[in-house]
Amino acid sequence: MRFSGGVGDILAESLPVDTFFMMSRRARRKKGAGKNPILGKVLISFGALLLLGVGVAYIALRAYLHSDGFRKFLSGQISKTANIRGDFAPFNWDGMAVETLRFAGTGQAWVSELIAERISTEVGFGGVSRGVWEVKSTRINRLQLGLNLTSGGSASEVTPEKPKPSAGKAQSGWIPKKVELESLDIGDLSVRMITGKGCVSAKGMSVLVSPTSGKNAYKARVAGGVLTVPYTMMPEMRIERLEATFRSGSLFLNRAEISGWEDARIELSGESNLADRAHAYEGKAEGMKCHELLNENWARRVTGDVASSFRFTKRDNHQSVSGDLVIQNGTLTALPVLDALAAYADTQRFRMLQLSDAKMKWQLLNGEIILSDVVMASEGLIRLEGRLNIRGEELDGMFQLGLVPGTLAKIPGAETHVFQSGKLGLLWAPFRLTGTFSNPKEDLSQRLAAAAGARMFEVLPETGEKVLKFTTNVLGEAPVKVIDKGAKVIESGVDVIKDAGDAFKGILGN
């Protein structure tokens, strides 16, 4: 037998294919087995070096954390964020947890003061690869914040003092340069804010801050505390709850609930763009009583439940505050203007009015109070509609006074020359209100007296002499006496406008 092939060919011919390949793999493994120990040693050495590097990095990071340089770094970060100049008290470390007694800073822009007491937190290394320090579960026992909204300074005008490098080794380039706050718990927050109208303060609030979706975005929940505003008619308000979000330089007030007086509740929401210095808020107030809002003099004359919506917008130097106000279950009592109408109409129905409708739109714009769409009505008796502008002490208003036909029937000419038939089946007369709170002027009483006078006299064709047109039997008393009585009492009705000035001053805090 002659063999023309090699050993491989012979084996391939004499053994099954599967058996042949299994033997080949074993042979290759045995042939390369001598290289495995070297590769293993290399891998073990690399792992040891890696662990050593991590250990050295950990020791270096921890040493930096415990150095005064890290304290100055954190001081600079907070100072830059709040646009102030401040510093932490010395740190007391326990592993990765740290405590300090105080952070104090002052500024010349919006944030005028920031004082935090008894601060504790924990620093993590999880964000080192992203170039940030993870500051976890921060707790501040007490935080005082001072704001000055009248400051013309912007966020770029006050540059925080940069921390000076320590005398030791320079900070390595791979050490994080940013801080990432995971959560913040404030036990007692106090805020004092200076505005163009005075000081607004809030104290005794507990605050919980945590991250939310978005870069550098946080949400905050506030509970408890009291709020004081610079308006004499506003008492100390109670903060029930407040939810807000800070994202991309804007503050979003998602919901705020505040209570005050006896049963009043105020709800508020809106947003502030801090970069553009633009603000827009809206809300509503319910459960207020007239006597809680008005001064003592008016509180005896007006009763009822007050509800109002409100809207606040501000951008640059333009500011507007507006809303819609409604009085329910309202009653007007002992008003001089009502006494005047009662005297003219010779009826007691005007002495006390049950208001079936009382509402208006209000706006504070550039120092001016604008009352529009004013409606004050007692069904089946009287209705007042119009608008009034108030700038300081000056008054400028246009009104329509509607009366039930027959109300002024005893004043000749009143219901034909002064009042005209109109909507709702009433007789309507326009009048203008001008002057000031201390010296108001209206033109209705003069027209009433003039109309009555024109109808009470006639000229005899024969002699041209003026004589009384009516007798005392028709009017119940001398016509001249009726005119004189009505004119005097309606003139005294403007006293109510003077009292209204005191009420507005009380509401606006002047």
Side-chain angles (χ1 to χ4, degrees):
M1 181 179 294
R2 192 169 139 217
F3 299 97
S4 59
V7 176
D9 295 330
I10 297 172
L11 292 174
E13 292 177 0
S14 60
L15 294 174
V17 176
D18 293 343
T19 305
F20 173 75
F21 280 110
M22 290 177 63
M23 292 176 63
S24 298
R25 284 198 295 269
R26 287 196 208 98
R28 285 197 297 271
R29 281 200 299 268
K30 288 181 180 180
K31 185 176 180 180
K35 295 181 180 179
N36 280 342
I38 298 176
L39 179 60
K41 291 177 181 180
V42 171
L43 292 176
I44 292 173
S45 298
F46 180 77
L49 289 174
L50 182 61
L51 290 175
L52 180 61
V54 171
V56 171
Y58 173 81
I59 294 173
L61 287 173
R62 181 165 175 171
Y64 173 68
L65 285 179
H66 289 214
S67 71
D68 198 50
F70 182 71
R71 181 183 67 85
K72 293 181 178 179
F73 164 74
L74 278 185
S75 299
Q77 289 293 303
I78 294 179
S79 297
K80 181 180 179 180
T81 301
N83 195 26
I84 60 176
R85 292 181 179 177
D87 197 12
F88 280 102
F91 286 173
N92 181 22
W93 288 91
D94 182 9
M96 302 301 291
V98 60
E99 294 183 353
T100 184
L101 293 178
R102 182 181 176 90
F103 174 90
T106 58
Q108 300 298 322
W110 284 0
V111 180
S112 59
E113 181 183 57
L114 194 158
I115 299 176
E117 299 177 352
R118 299 189 64 84
I119 309 166
S120 61
T121 189
E122 182 178 348
V123 181
F125 292 158
V128 171
S129 61
R130 297 182 287 112
V132 298
W133 295 105
E134 291 182 345
V135 179
K136 306 177 180 180
S137 304
T138 303
R139 165 74 182 183
I140 300 176
N141 279 17
R142 188 167 185 268
L143 177 63
Q144 293 177 252
L145 182 62
L147 304 175
N148 186 358
L149 300 189
T150 64
S151 171
S154 64
S156 61
E157 290 185 356
V158 178
T159 304
E161 184 178 3
K162 295 182 179 179
K164 298 179 181 179
S166 59
K169 296 181 179 180
Q171 180 178 330
S172 301
W174 55 271
I175 292 181
K177 304 296 193 302
K178 297 181 180 180
V179 176
E180 187 174 86
L181 180 68
E182 289 196 1
S183 66
L184 174 63
D185 184 4
I186 304 174
D188 184 354
L189 172 63
S190 298
V191 179
R192 187 174 184 270
M193 182 167 54
I194 303 299
T195 70
K197 293 294 184 178
C199 178
V200 177
S201 66
K203 58 185 179 180
M205 300 176 288
S206 61
V207 183
L208 180 61
V209 180
S210 57
T212 188
S213 58
K215 185 178 180 181
N216 296 326
Y218 297 90
K219 60 182 179 181
R221 292 184 178 181
V222 180
V226 294
L227 175 67
T228 304
V229 296
Y231 300 102
T232 56
M233 49 78 67
M234 294 283 288
E236 191 175 69
M237 311 296 287
R238 300 177 295 276
I239 301 173
E240 302 296 338
R241 70 167 179 163
L242 186 152
E243 298 177 359
T245 304
F246 180 83
R247 180 185 291 111
S248 302
S250 293
L251 176 66
F252 300 90
L253 182 60
N254 304 321
R255 184 181 181 89
E257 294 182 1
I258 302 172
S259 61
W261 293 287
E262 294 180 7
D263 301 313
R265 295 190 66 85
I266 300 174
E267 295 184 2
L268 177 66
S269 62
E271 65 179 280
S272 292
N273 187 313
L274 303 181
D276 296 338
R277 304 178 69 176
H279 312 274
Y281 292 87
E282 63 180 5
K284 61 181 180 180
E286 298 177 334
M288 299 176 294
K289 307 293 183 182
C290 285
H291 71 269
E292 294 173 332
L293 301 175
L294 302 175
N295 61 19
E296 183 179 355
N297 187 22
W298 267 82
R300 295 193 301 265
R301 300 177 176 184
V302 184
T303 63
D305 303 320
V306 181
S308 179
S309 64
F310 55 86
R311 296 169 292 277
F312 169 79
T313 58
K314 182 176 182 180
R315 187 178 183 89
D316 299 327
N317 295 324
H318 179 78
Q319 175 177 306
S320 174
V321 187
S322 61
D324 300 287
L325 184 144
V326 176
I327 301 177
Q328 297 177 332
N329 305 316
T331 301
L332 297 179
T333 307
L335 295 182
V337 67
L338 299 181
D339 292 341
L341 290 174
Y344 268 121
D346 193 19
T347 178
Q348 296 297 316
R349 291 189 299 165
F350 288 101
R351 304 293 182 186
M352 177 182 292
L353 289 183
Q354 299 292 334
L355 296 177
S356 57
D357 198 2
K359 59 187 178 182
M360 68 185 70
K361 297 181 183 296
W362 59 270
Q363 184 177 19
L364 305 180
L365 182 62
N366 299 326
E368 184 175 11
I369 304 173
I370 303 173
L371 306 180
S372 60
D373 297 337
V374 177
V375 175
M376 302 286 284
S378 181
E379 188 174 2
L381 188 59
I382 187 173
R383 187 178 181 89
L384 180 70
E385 298 180 355
R387 62 177 291 124
L388 175 65
N389 291 11
I390 305 170
R391 179 175 289 277
E393 286 279 327
E394 298 181 358
L395 307 174
D396 186 10
M398 287 296 299
F399 293 91
Q400 291 280 343
L401 179 63
L403 298 176
V404 174
T407 301
L408 300 180
K410 291 190 176 182
I411 303 298
E415 295 191 351
T416 55
H417 287 68
V418 180
F419 286 81
Q420 303 294 327
S421 298
K423 62 182 180 179
L424 304 177
L426 301 178
L427 299 177
W428 293 89
F431 71 92
R432 186 177 183 186
L433 179 63
T434 58
T436 64
F437 278 125
S438 57
N439 185 28
K441 299 176 181 179
E442 51 79 30
D443 59 3
L444 180 58
S445 59
Q446 294 179 349
R447 284 185 285 129
L448 280 173
R455 290 289 302 275
M456 284 186 176
F457 294 94
E458 65 177 4
V459 178
L460 295 178
E462 298 86 358
T463 63
E465 184 179 359
K466 288 185 177 181
V467 297
L468 287 175
K469 192 173 183 181
F470 301 99
T471 67
T472 58
N473 293 331
V474 175
L475 296 176
E477 55 183 319
V480 177
K481 189 174 181 180
V482 172
I483 298 173
D484 183 63
K485 176 182 177 182
K488 287 182 179 180
V489 75
I490 203 167
E491 287 172 4
S492 71
V494 298
D495 291 339
V496 75
I497 303 173
K498 299 178 182 179
D499 294 336
D502 296 333
F504 276 112
K505 291 176 182 178
I507 291 175
L508 297 178
N510 294 329

